[in-house]
Amino acid sequence: MATVAARTREGAPLAIERVRVDELRAALRGPLLLAGDAGYDEARSVWNAMIDRRPALVARCLGVADVMAGVRFARESGVALSMKGGGHNISGLAVAEGGLMLDLSLMRGVWVEPRSRVARAQAGCLLGDVDRETQLHGLAAVLGFVSATGIAGLTLGGGFGYTSRRFGWTSDNVRSMDVVTADGRFVHASEEENADLFWGLRGGGGNFGVLTGVEYVLHPLGPEIYGGAVAWRAEEAPQVLEVFRKAATEAPPELALVAVMRIAPPAPWLDPNVHGKPIVMLLACDTGDVTKAEQRLAPVKAFGKPVGDILQRRPYVTQQSLLDATQPRGRRYYWKSEYLPAIDGEMLAKVAEHAARITSPQSAVVVFPLGGAVRSRPSDHSAVGNRDAEAVLNITASWEDKAQDSVHVEWARSAWRDMRRFSTGGTYVNFLTEEEAGERLAAAYGKNLARLAEVKGRWDPTNLFRMNKNVAPAVAR
Ligand SMILES: Cc1cc2nc3c(=O)[nH]c(=O)nc-3n(C[C@H](O)[C@H](O)[C@H](O)COP(=O)(O)OP(=O)(O)OC[C@H]3O[C@@H](n4cnc5c(N)ncnc54)[C@H](O)[C@@H]3O)c2cc1C
């Protein structure tokens, strides 16, 4: 009997009869790919090249009915199941070895209702897809810093970006979500309908079902904002980081300031004399009144001797893709991250120290701002924990040569071990690497973890959805 070699949810070998695979193919509108098929390798690859897993089957879903067929197949066959949105998760959660991958990346429709300030987006959208459509109306959803990131993983994990200080987590700005649940039903979740599921979906990742669509609350913003970046030689870091500390601490919610320390890439906006040399960079995005923003950021522009300055009036969509080139798909990546209670001088001095020890020209230490509206809701408003954070520290190792893995991973780990003392004790679920579970999951959710496990027990009692940072009570794992 012809079979396809696969793996169960528990990781055991599983032989799926060809006839069952053919039935699944017939039930789908989109293509079903197996190893050797054109497009299989592209579909199984994710942003982080450290992840190299081979699913048995890839269903390239074209709509909700395809997702339902896939969930039914996974439930009945016992095959491991994963969902792919933008493929940006650093742990590679989109792909399970020997599993069935529901690849939603062809589902990229966005519908904007300007009068009610709502956008409906299909779950395979990238952040840039949503910005592109909403900005036509001078509206924006709260999204992240890199336009190629998937909305599904980002929103389900909480989500933050330049406008989070003003409007909260991405998931705070969601009106409803549509999911296909473990029992194969299409379920609408909002404050009014299936409220417990809606609570869990806003932070709980892919634990509860396959997201097929999101309804975002939009805010009037852009199309022109004041933003960009200014860079200085690393020798000026102590003074620049003090400017950052003061400006970030006093910033109104409209202003997000990000500090980045790294080796200068050969970017055309940077003085060629600093290419390959250490720099400190401040990224700014002010979505308030443009004239006031210009005045607010004038001291940053005027400070010291910049080696590059692209802080200017610009379309919001260009701000949203400013970092894209620094995060290409297919490099090797390893991150360590912590939430910070404050942006203080001692912590920033340590950031500079660890940046000075960077082992790869693509690595960086980044401090993102939070606080503001993130703090304005109660800690159990949704599953996302850590509303007390004022900033996010991300130690991002990035390189190309596989043989150098241990060097760059160890740089990130050792910097993190030293920086942990500045943490709130919390961390962001969407930045967790492959090996981070257990206590790191508790750090990501805090008190909300127990409630997440309860919601999981109701909506996915057999832990069908386990290719995620899993919140199932231990018994179902
Ligand atoms: C370069 C880069 C920049 C980033 N910037 C930010 C940022 O600014 N702000 C921020 O908050 N985060 C950011 N992140 C983290 C990001 O939120 C997570 O990596 C997130 O998981 C990416 O979502 P994705 O859809 O691209 O992921 P994928 O790898 O496709 O999916 C990751 C996991 O999300 C879940 N998932 C995906 N699709 C579905 C679905 N349809 N239904 C149910 N579950 C699903 C599953 O558990 C899946 O395994 C960034 C990541 C990268 C790599």
Side-chain angles (χ1 to χ4, degrees), residues 80 83 120 205 261 270 305 326 332 384 391 471:
M83 289 83 87
R120 290 190 178 78
M261 291 206 68
L270 291 169
K305 293 193 196 113
T326 66
R332 306 179 80 75
V384 199
V471 300

Side-chain angles (χ1 to χ4, degrees), residues 110-126:
V110 183
W111 298 267
V112 182
E113 289 170 14
R115 262 176 295 178
S116 52
R117 292 183 182 163
V118 162
R120 290 190 178 78
Q122 284 184 303
C125 282
L126 306 182

Side-chain angles (χ1 to χ4, degrees), residues 230-246 259 280-282 300 303-305 348:
V230 185
W232 299 261
R233 288 178 190 275
E235 289 81 349
E236 288 196 75
Q239 300 78 17
V240 172
L241 290 174
E242 177 53 20
V243 169
F244 167 68
R245 188 198 63 74
K246 200 158 176 302
V280 55
M281 188 166 86
L282 297 186
V300 170
F303 186 79
K305 293 193 196 113
L348 289 172

Side-chain angles (χ1 to χ4, degrees), residues 157-426:
F160 71 94
Y162 290 115
T163 58
S164 290
R165 288 171 45 72
R166 200 168 164 194
F167 304 119
W169 299 113
T170 301
S171 56
D172 292 341
N173 293 275
V174 166
R175 188 190 279 181
S176 71
M177 290 178 170
D178 291 327
V179 282
V180 174
T181 50
D183 55 7
R185 281 183 303 140
F186 177 72
V187 173
H188 188 69
S190 68
E191 292 285 7
E192 292 78 35
E193 260 178 90
N194 301 304
D196 66 329
L197 177 62
F198 188 52
W199 181 89
L201 286 167
R202 288 171 297 157
N207 267 287
F208 305 105
V210 187
L211 182 76
T212 57
V214 187
E215 198 179 18
Y216 290 107
V217 174
L218 305 177
H219 304 278
L221 188 157
E224 186 184 59
I225 56 103
Y226 191 72
V230 185
W232 299 261
R233 288 178 190 275
E235 289 81 349
E236 288 196 75
Q239 300 78 17
V240 172
L241 290 174
E242 177 53 20
V243 169
F244 167 68
R245 188 198 63 74
K246 200 158 176 302
T249 310
E250 292 167 4
E254 301 90 290
L255 172 60
L257 272 174
V258 181
V260 182
M261 291 206 68
R262 57 166 297 160
I263 309 282
W269 69 279
L270 291 169
D271 180 344
N273 293 316
V274 294
H275 291 176
K277 307 229 167 72
I279 54 165
V280 55
M281 188 166 86
L282 297 186
L283 276 166
C285 176
D286 197 319
T287 57
D289 175 85
V290 181
T291 308
K292 284 197 188 129
E294 237 163 2
Q295 289 161 0
R296 221 175 348 244
L297 286 162
V300 170
K301 256 179 119 60
F303 186 79
K305 293 193 196 113
V307 290
D309 178 358
I310 47 168
L311 186 53
Q312 62 197 57
R313 291 179 181 224
R314 62 170 63 241
Y316 180 63
V317 286
T318 71
Q319 179 75 28
Q320 288 287 85
S321 53
L322 217 54
L323 289 176
D324 286 13
T326 66
Q327 305 293 321
R329 188 189 172 101
R331 269 199 203 136
R332 306 179 80 75
Y333 294 96
Y334 184 83
W335 293 351
K336 278 291 189 187
S337 184
E338 292 291 324
Y339 282 120
L340 304 169
I343 299 180
D344 75 62
E346 197 194 336
M347 180 275 296
L348 289 172
K350 280 282 170 196
V351 163
E353 226 175 83
H354 291 292
R357 294 186 196 133
I358 267 177
T359 48
S360 159
Q362 283 114 23
S363 298
V365 188
V366 186
V367 179
F368 295 101
L370 268 183
V374 166
R375 280 176 174 268
S376 68
R377 293 173 175 87
S379 58
D380 63 352
H381 174 76
S382 70
V384 199
N386 295 294
R387 287 184 184 272
D388 55 345
E390 269 301 310
V392 185
L393 170 74
N394 205 9
I395 302 163
T396 70
S398 165
W399 66 100
E400 267 151 17
D401 181 2
K402 192 176 177 177
Q404 296 291 311
D405 283 3
S406 59
V407 175
H408 305 303
V409 168
E410 187 42 36
W411 166 75
R413 283 191 182 146
S414 98
W416 169 73
R417 280 193 294 270
D418 187 34
M419 296 299 295
R420 269 191 107 173
R421 65 193 137 123
F422 299 105
S423 171
T424 60

